[in-house]
Amino acid sequence: MKKIFCILTLFVVLFFAACSKKSSPGKTAEIPKVRATTYTDDVMPLIQMKCAPCHLPSKGGFKANFENYASAQKFGAEMVSRIERNPGEKGFMPFKQTNKLAAEEIAVFKKWVSDGLVEK
């Protein structure tokens, strides 16, 4: 009797284990697409807030022009290099500031570069 009970228990456990799989044959889980960081949507708003007026000629700036994509993309890696420096180091940006940009803001510039300097 014990043998029959053990076999039945094992059968029931295996049956429920097999039925609990949620994937159906032939279908694979879709990988969510992650939007690339773009100049237009992500970088330009930060430039307008944190790099003006120096890097925006329309605001009276006279430094490297980051006001449009074509000119800003040339400086992508250099932007990251300079905003990652510490205050007081040569080339630190934002110029004449005592604090670095927030880590989240720096991450936007870094992701833009690593995503391939996408415009839109």
Side-chain angles (χ1 to χ4, degrees):
M1 188 70 166
K2 267 189 169 180
K3 272 187 175 181
I4 294 174
F5 181 74
C6 287
I7 292 172
L8 265 167
T9 304
L10 181 61
F11 175 77
V12 170
V13 169
L14 290 173
F15 176 77
F16 283 112
C19 291
S20 69
K21 290 187 178 179
K22 293 185 179 184
S23 64
S24 57
K27 288 189 178 182
T28 57
E30 289 194 28
I31 300 170
K33 294 182 180 179
V34 178
R35 182 182 72 82
T37 300
T38 67
Y39 171 80
T40 304
D41 295 335
D42 306 296
V43 176
M44 186 57 188
L46 282 174
I47 289 172
Q48 290 172 334
M49 287 187 308
K50 303 293 182 166
C51 308
C54 302
H55 291 286
L56 301 174
S58 67
K59 305 277 188 214
F62 56 91
K63 301 289 183 186
N65 179 4
F66 301 154
E67 197 158 35
N68 62 62
Y69 172 74
S71 58
Q73 83 171 106
K74 297 174 192 173
F75 295 98
E78 183 66 17
M79 285 183 202
V80 171
S81 170
R82 288 178 174 243
I83 62 176
E84 285 187 314
R85 295 178 190 176
N86 292 312
E89 287 183 46
K90 184 176 181 177
F92 167 76
M93 290 291 156
F95 185 66
K96 291 190 178 180
Q97 297 297 315
T98 56
N99 295 317
K100 295 173 80 162
L101 296 179
E104 297 82 19
E105 294 167 335
I106 294 172
V108 169
F109 284 93
K110 289 173 80 171
K111 186 156 180 352
W112 179 54
V113 172
S114 70
D115 285 349
L117 302 166
V118 179
E119 180 177 10
K120 296 179 185 179

